[in-house]
Amino acid sequence: MIKVSRSTILDAPVAAVWEVLRDFNGHDRWHPAVDRSALEGGKKTDQVGSVRNFVLGGGERIRERLLSLSDKDRRLRYAIVESDVPLMNYVAEVSLKPVTDGDRTFWSWSSKFETPKGRERELADLVAEGVYDAGFEAVRARVERRSPASSAPLQRAAGGTAIDGLAMVIDRHGGPEELHPARIAAPPPGPGEVRLRQAAIGVNFIDIYCRSGAFDLLQPPGAPGMEAAGVVVDVGPGVRHLRPGQRVAYACPPVGAYVSVRTMAAELVVPLPDSIDDEAAAAGLLKGMSAEFLLHRVHKVQQGETVLVYAPAGGVGRLLCQWAAHLGATVIGATSSEEKARIARAAGARHVILPGTQSLEDQVRDLTQGRGADVIYDAVGRDSFAHSVAALAPCGHLISFGQASGPVGSWDIGSLAASSATVSRPNFAHYTDTPAKVAAITERLFHAIDRRVVTVEIGRRYSLSEAAEAQRALENRETTASTILIPNENEESL
């Protein structure tokens, strides 16, 4: 039996949300997946036992029966009676509770069901994302307040005083030597903003691309960095999911994380569970979110697939190995030394390829009885792309998600026909550009960390003022696991 549970908080009174949801046959007016719906047998829309017969946007037909409905508890249960989508013994529950701060609503949506063998993950994701998450956002658009002034925020900024801090910035694109310390002042948060005192900062390859100018995300002067964890100092008007003193983290543009204090948009900052400390969050949030959408959204890894992971001892690569192995894939790592190969094997790689007399693609085919890899996660770029294409199984999927050796350049699409290859070049920002997307990704990631499906390992720690040294080590492939920067009080006088 599969269990799916999602929840969210809406900035609207519970009565307003319940008015929408208690209309059992009203989902075609708000849910984007439902094309049209009708009640059978002349029943009322809130009558227990009523059956709604509806059609999805793709033409699939579903019949669902209302099992119970309580206006007092603001709770309803329903079950699938008949469906073109193979969800068997499906029973779901919707529950609303008032949140007193700001007169908001906590909405829980959960279900239990069975699926055909081999389709468990596919259909669980369909329910969680295509039904529940999509429904949350659709109702949010209908009922949430549009003006921050229409209700009191949970907390307002503590005052009008800026907080001094340290940043590592560049004045022009170039090498690690361009990073230098600078004094900054984090202003009080405005509407929709939060001010943070940062405890740990993640160092990632995207920071190097920004510093060098390979990615057009940082226009000097400015600080690189996409990821950090810390404590909320204060929040601006309209911010209701964060409070002063709360531990939080983020992994999102705009860049600017190489700082000790920061004022930024609050919507993509997430509260941290007690089980994840600041350093682990800074070391693993961006990499873990990347691994989540690479394995579950760009390509949904299935049990029995063969997965090739480049740089399997690095931050993202190690998480890919762990998670893909947990999903039932056979993982092959491709790395440069026996030391890194040992780390890859410990992370779940069944086989590890090292440089030798045989090409990478020949080694992959030897390990797969000539078939090749079903999916390849390639963060190297220019030096590896041709080998990756050659190592694909028929109808394989090459996911080029980094360019440590440089851009892959121009390719004739006709060359992919030899294996009917699919090639993806995902952009982190497109998978994390809304609160709903971030919430869905981080929920699965935090759950995976709690269950020790994946573990976040910190390879090296540097002080914030040593950011250039940290980037140089990462760029030279001297590191394993994750690298973080730690702001400290002694640097404030730099």
Side-chain angles (χ1 to χ4, degrees), residues 317-349:
R318 185 171 169 275
L319 295 176
L320 288 172
C321 289
Q322 291 178 328
W323 216 334
H326 174 77
L327 294 172
T330 298
V331 180
I332 302 173
T335 191
S336 58
S337 70
E338 186 54 47
E339 177 188 359
K340 292 181 178 180
R342 285 194 293 271
I343 295 171
R345 293 187 188 100

Side-chain angles (χ1 to χ4, degrees), residues 202-240:
V203 180
N204 299 282
F205 257 102
I206 194 170
D207 306 344
I208 294 169
Y209 301 152
C210 292
R211 185 210 70 217
S212 67
F215 282 8
D216 188 23
L217 293 174
L218 173 58
Q219 293 302 316
M226 291 270 286
E227 165 184 52
V231 176
V232 174
V233 176
D234 45 16
V235 301
V239 178
R240 294 175 173 81

Side-chain angles (χ1 to χ4, degrees), residues 469-485:
E469 183 180 345
Q471 283 201 5
R472 189 176 288 111
L474 181 62
E475 199 166 12
N476 291 338
R477 305 186 190 185
E478 298 170 0
T479 65
T480 59
S482 298
T483 299
I484 59 173
L485 306 174

Side-chain angles (χ1 to χ4, degrees), residues 44-65:
K44 295 182 179 179
T45 189
D46 59 354
Q47 186 175 352
V48 173
S50 63
V51 174
R52 60 186 181 190
N53 190 331
F54 60 96
V55 179
L56 301 179
E60 302 90 343
R61 292 185 174 274
I62 301 177
R63 297 173 66 237
E64 292 178 338
R65 185 185 304 276

Side-chain angles (χ1 to χ4, degrees), residues 46 48 139 170 224 231 261 277 281 285 315 317 350 371-372 412 437 489:
D46 59 354
V48 173
V139 174
I170 62 171
V231 176
V261 291
D277 63 34
L285 189 59
R350 186 177 301 180
R371 186 172 182 276
D412 176 11
K437 292 179 184 178
E489 294 181 358

Side-chain angles (χ1 to χ4, degrees), residues 460-464 466-467 469-471 473 479 483-487:
R460 296 190 183 186
R461 294 173 176 83
Y462 296 85
S463 66
L464 176 57
E466 296 173 321
E469 183 180 345
Q471 283 201 5
T479 65
T483 299
I484 59 173
L485 306 174
I486 306 296

Side-chain angles (χ1 to χ4, degrees), residues 164-291:
D164 292 333
L166 173 74
M168 294 299 292
V169 304
I170 62 171
D171 295 326
R172 62 182 180 181
H173 292 129
E177 67 280 357
E178 297 297 338
L179 282 162
H180 63 87
R183 302 298 306 168
I184 60 165
E193 292 184 330
V194 62
R195 182 160 52 176
L196 309 176
R197 186 172 292 280
Q198 304 199 147
I201 301 157
V203 180
N204 299 282
F205 257 102
I206 194 170
D207 306 344
I208 294 169
Y209 301 152
C210 292
R211 185 210 70 217
S212 67
F215 282 8
D216 188 23
L217 293 174
L218 173 58
Q219 293 302 316
M226 291 270 286
E227 165 184 52
V231 176
V232 174
V233 176
D234 45 16
V235 301
V239 178
R240 294 175 173 81
H241 71 294
L242 304 174
R243 63 181 186 276
Q246 189 172 25
R247 295 176 53 251
V248 297
Y250 62 87
C252 60
V255 298
Y258 283 21
V259 296
S260 60
V261 291
R262 188 178 188 189
T263 301
M264 61 183 298
E267 65 175 359
L268 300 182
V269 176
V270 297
L272 285 176
D274 293 338
S275 58
I276 301 176
D277 63 34
D278 296 335
E279 290 193 1
L285 189 59
L286 186 142
K287 300 174 185 68
M289 291 173 70
S290 298

Side-chain angles (χ1 to χ4, degrees), residues 310 360-361 378 381-391 398 408 411:
Y310 283 84
L360 176 139
E361 54 267 33
D378 185 345
R382 180 181 58 209
D383 294 348
S384 60
F385 193 83
H387 296 288
S388 295
V389 171
L398 168 55
V408 300
W411 273 77

